[in-house]
């Protein structure tokens, strides 16, 4: 069989349609809604890309919430548990994985979370479907309501620890490291806080709302636009959000702009909900510091 390559962390609908029947390709449907956890599963059962497995944010793409909130509202899953789940849905170390969600709902960050987690486990052959589910349907992509019966395969993780920053890393970051808050501006400024018990942001953080990574059609902006809106230059970055989910589009955007995941493009996995679990950590409100 011909070699399958991924020149960027994105694949188009036309690419997936052309390669969907390749036995090396696996698809993860990561649709979800924070305000209604059943929405994604119902949408999946109503119609999905043929052969796709459903990846639930709470049960598959996150670990258990810890007493006191350490680790945040969506802690990283245990690597062995995540690897076991991936293997159970036929994702092996040789698979090429395409993740999608529904940016048309305004919550198009779950596919990026799945993408980032696979990269964290050392799996380089993973991409996000540009435009997600709406683009697939608009292009006439085949829709299935049949749940696949996957054949379990081994998935051996190779955890990339340098993709993750902790609260201690954030506190000890050097002056040259840019700390990016990916939430909506109102939450960053502390004007509203619909989820967490404290409002505001980590002192020294700048606001780069994750939604700017996508255009009005739900497709990803090009590399130049990503570089311009992130405005990070060559500085190392640590990126966070509320719980380590909506920050991941900014991590993908930075990779599109030429800075791969790694020491210069890290996720503060616990994010704001982890930061405020310790009341000794400072909180800022208002505009960029």
């Amino acid at each position: 069989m011909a070699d399958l390559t991924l020149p960027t962390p994105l694949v188009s609908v036309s690419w997936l349609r052309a390669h969907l029947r390749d036995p090396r390709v696996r698809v993860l449907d990561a649709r979800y809604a924070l305000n209604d956890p059943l929405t994604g599963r119902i949408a999946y059962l109503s119609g999905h890309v043929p052969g796709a497995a459903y990846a639930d944010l709470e049960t598959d793409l996150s670990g258990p919430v810890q007493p006191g909130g350490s680790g945040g509202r969506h802690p990283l899953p245990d690597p062995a548990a995540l690897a076991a789940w991936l293997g159970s849905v036929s994702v092996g170390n040789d698979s090429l994985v395409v993740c999608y969600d529904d940016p048309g709902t305004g919550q198009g960050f779950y596919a990026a979370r799945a993408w980032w987690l696979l990269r964290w486990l050392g799996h380089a052959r993973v991409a996000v479907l540009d435009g997600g589910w709406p683009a697939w349907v608009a292009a006439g992509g085949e829709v299935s309501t049949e749940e696949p019966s996957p054949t379990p395969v081994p998935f051996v993780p190779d955890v990339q620890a340098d993709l993750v920053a902790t609260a201690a890393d954030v506190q000890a970051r050097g002056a040259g490291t840019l700390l990016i808050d990916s939430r909506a501006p109102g939450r960053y400024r502390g004007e509203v806080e619909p989820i967490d018990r404290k409002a505001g942001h980590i002192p020294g953080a700048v606001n780069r709302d994750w939604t700017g990574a996508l255009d009005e059609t739900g497709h990803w902006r090009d590399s130049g636009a990503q570089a311009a809106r992130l405005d990070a230059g060559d500085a190392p970055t640590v990126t966070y959000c509320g719980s380590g989910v909506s920050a991941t589009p900014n991590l993908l955007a930075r990779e599109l702009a030429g800075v791969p995941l790694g020491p210069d493009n890290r996720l503060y996995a616990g994010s704001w909900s982890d930061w405020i679990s310790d009341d000794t950590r400072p909180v800022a409100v208002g505009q960029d510091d």
Side-chain angles (χ1 to χ4, degrees), residues 17-100:
R17 291 181 73 177
H19 296 92
L20 185 60
R21 304 303 178 188
D22 190 306
R24 297 167 293 181
V25 173
R26 296 287 181 265
V27 181
L28 298 181
D29 182 322
R31 286 178 287 175
Y32 193 79
L34 289 173
N35 60 352
D36 186 356
L38 292 179
T39 295
R41 174 76 68 176
I42 292 169
Y44 170 80
L45 294 173
S46 298
H48 52 264
V49 173
Y54 184 67
D56 188 284
L57 174 67
E58 303 289 347
T59 60
D60 303 319
L61 305 181
S62 302
V65 174
Q66 300 302 304
S70 177
R73 286 182 281 105
H74 294 105
L76 293 183
D78 174 75
L82 178 57
W85 175 76
L86 288 166
S88 74
V89 295
S90 292
V91 174
N93 295 97
D94 295 330
S95 299
L96 190 153
V97 185
V98 177
C99 311
Y100 72 89

Side-chain angles (χ1 to χ4, degrees), residues 215-269:
D215 66 18
E216 62 279 0
T217 70
H219 289 79
W220 291 76
R221 300 185 190 276
D222 65 25
S223 59
Q226 303 292 2
R229 74 173 192 85
L230 291 171
D231 193 23
D234 294 329
T237 55
V238 174
T239 302
Y240 76 94
C241 55
S243 62
V245 182
S246 65
T248 54
N250 273 341
L251 292 147
L252 193 155
R254 189 120 209 264
E255 183 154 300
L256 288 173
V259 181
L261 296 181
D264 291 338
N265 184 14
R266 291 189 290 169
L267 172 68
Y268 172 22

Side-chain angles (χ1 to χ4, degrees), residues 30-35 39-40 43 101-110 131 133-134 210 214 217-218:
R31 286 178 287 175
Y32 193 79
L34 289 173
N35 60 352
T39 295
D101 54 26
D102 186 353
T105 64
Q107 300 190 85
F109 42 74
Y110 304 109
W133 177 248
W210 75 269
L214 306 180
T217 70

Side-chain angles (χ1 to χ4, degrees), residues 64-211:
V65 174
Q66 300 302 304
S70 177
R73 286 182 281 105
H74 294 105
L76 293 183
D78 174 75
L82 178 57
W85 175 76
L86 288 166
S88 74
V89 295
S90 292
V91 174
N93 295 97
D94 295 330
S95 299
L96 190 153
V97 185
V98 177
C99 311
Y100 72 89
D101 54 26
D102 186 353
T105 64
Q107 300 190 85
F109 42 74
Y110 304 109
R113 166 78 169 200
W115 168 83
W116 185 90
L117 286 171
L118 277 153
R119 292 287 298 276
W120 175 56
L121 292 191
H123 193 81
R125 289 160 62 85
V126 57
V128 169
L129 179 64
D130 194 16
W133 177 248
W136 179 261
V137 174
E142 184 181 351
V143 174
S144 174
T145 57
E146 180 180 351
E147 289 194 73
S149 300
T151 301
V153 296
F155 185 98
V156 180
D158 179 17
V159 176
Q160 306 296 297
D162 63 356
L163 271 59
V164 180
T166 64
D169 294 327
V170 170
Q171 289 177 304
R173 70 190 185 279
T177 296
L178 186 66
L179 181 62
I180 295 176
D181 185 314
S182 302
R183 297 172 300 164
R187 290 186 70 193
Y188 167 81
R189 294 191 296 264
E191 297 167 353
V192 295
E193 183 43 68
I195 303 175
D196 294 308
R197 67 182 182 87
K198 288 185 181 181
H201 60 267
I202 300 173
V206 298
N207 187 217
R208 305 286 188 266
D209 187 345
W210 75 269
T211 61

